[in-house]
Amino acid sequence: MKQRSVGTSGLRVSRLGLGTLGWGSGTDGDDAAAQLSAFAEAGGTLVDTSPAYGDGRAQRVLAELLDDVVPRHELVISSAAGLSSRYGRYHVDCSRRGLLGQLDATLRELGTDYLDLWQVAAWDPMTPVDEVAATLDYAVTSGRVRYTGARGYLGWQLATAAGAAGTGHIVATQAEYSLLARGIEDELVPAAHHHGIGILAAVPLAGGVLTGKYRNGVPADSRGADELHAEAVHAYLTDSAVGVVDAAVTAADGLATSPLVVALAWARDRPGVSSAIVGARDLAQLMGALMAEELELPPAIASALDDVSA
């Protein structure tokens, strides 16, 4: 798998990343082990996790696999802090106390001395941006973090944080980006480009909608039929999405591949994107996504997808 630099930094990651959002819930330890092994064998390095995924279950599953399945040093592990789940509700705390407390807990949980990429998980209006920047700087200079980033920021928030950051400067921003979610192109993408920040495209398949599986209804075994994920999936099942999905299916037919591969290759190769992060329920889904590594979209097809999804 090809590697890319994250923005203008020296950090290099695989251009497809492995997401762990469902690990410990929809994906058990055995399935996770199979995914991680196949991902690494394909040359993948970036593994995305968070203490907020499954109330910490995802990190605990990953911890059991490090070194046993894939050597820790062969992976670029990205995690986050500042967001936690309590009684089914998310709580934001990006204070120095909150961020460093979660960082130390994550390092203990994963059994590692450092994170390759540590990201602030949300914008916290209650915490001064200078305090957040100083905390990121401290995490880097203390050796617990190699690079820092931000998740879910708006363009002005990323620009503000990047301007305040010191030696632990922000090198990555993670945001939802797909053929059905292009809102970040208005402000976040230009802000990231200006500050030399790489984009990690999250949810590049729009909850599975871009695979085409929902064209004739909601399959009983899909996430759209799962109470835990149904709301997120149904947010993409709009009238405007129909034409985009049809275009991805048509492109896939012409290229003798799947709409999943087409949609993933489109997101992966958008300007400024360092990696597209895929979360698979099982090994079969992941192997289907890894086929995108073999596809470079012809310019005419990429342009047509741009137009229909604009």
Side-chain angles (χ1 to χ4, degrees):
M1 188 179 301
K2 293 180 180 179
Q3 305 289 307
R4 287 178 176 164
S5 295
V6 179
T8 56
S9 76
L11 178 63
R12 293 175 178 81
V13 298
S14 52
R15 62 178 185 168
L16 291 180
L18 178 62
T20 65
L21 177 63
W23 288 16
S25 50
T27 302
D28 63 24
D30 290 339
D31 281 337
Q35 287 187 35
L36 184 61
S37 178
F39 178 69
E41 186 174 338
T45 58
L46 177 63
V47 178
D48 172 68
T49 191
S50 168
Y53 292 172
D55 293 331
R57 292 189 297 274
Q59 284 195 164
R60 289 193 288 273
V61 171
L62 178 58
E64 295 175 356
L65 306 181
L66 293 180
D67 288 326
D68 287 343
V69 175
V70 178
R72 163 67 182 93
H73 70 272
E74 293 184 2
L75 300 176
V76 177
I77 297 179
S78 171
S79 189
L83 188 66
S84 60
S85 177
R86 297 178 184 175
Y87 310 110
R89 295 183 178 181
Y90 284 109
H91 173 72
V92 176
D93 179 7
C94 296
S95 66
R96 183 181 180 90
R97 178 178 183 272
L99 290 176
L100 292 180
Q102 274 199 320
L103 172 60
D104 289 341
T106 290
L107 294 176
R108 288 194 301 270
E109 189 81 68
L110 295 178
T112 184
D113 295 330
Y114 67 96
L115 291 175
D116 300 281
L117 177 62
W118 184 51
Q119 302 184 70
V120 180
W123 178 265
D124 182 1
M126 301 298 291
T127 302
V129 67
D130 287 343
E131 180 176 331
V132 175
T135 303
L136 297 180
D137 180 57
Y138 175 74
V140 172
T141 57
S142 66
R144 286 123 92 186
V145 169
R146 299 296 187 255
Y147 296 89
T148 63
R151 299 186 181 186
Y153 272 30
L154 300 176
W156 71 266
Q157 294 169 343
L158 181 67
T160 302
T167 56
H169 67 287
I170 294 171
V171 304
T173 184
Q174 188 165 321
E176 185 177 333
Y177 197 14
S178 73
L179 280 165
L180 294 181
R182 296 181 60 182
I184 69 168
E185 293 176 354
D186 293 336
E187 295 186 1
L188 186 68
V189 172
H193 175 73
H194 179 78
H195 290 281
I197 294 171
I199 297 167
L200 304 180
V203 204
L205 298 175
V209 173
L210 286 167
T211 66
K213 70 171 66 176
Y214 297 101
R215 296 175 83 198
N216 299 311
V218 179
D221 62 345
S222 68
R223 288 185 177 180
D226 180 347
E227 183 178 350
L228 183 63
H229 302 99
E231 183 177 354
V233 172
H234 282 265
Y236 295 106
L237 297 176
T238 63
D239 291 340
S240 61
V242 174
V244 178
V245 175
D246 286 347
V249 171
T250 299
D253 290 343
L255 295 170
T257 187
S258 68
L260 179 158
V261 167
V262 168
L264 187 54
W266 180 90
R268 178 200 66 201
D269 294 335
R270 293 302 290 168
V273 171
S274 300
S275 185
I277 299 172
V278 181
R281 178 182 298 181
D282 52 35
L283 179 60
Q285 286 188 354
L286 177 63
M287 296 305 292
L290 291 177
M291 291 178 65
E293 182 63 20
E294 306 301 321
L295 177 66
E296 302 293 336
L297 282 178
I301 291 180
S303 179
L305 292 172
D306 293 351
D307 291 342
V308 75
S309 64

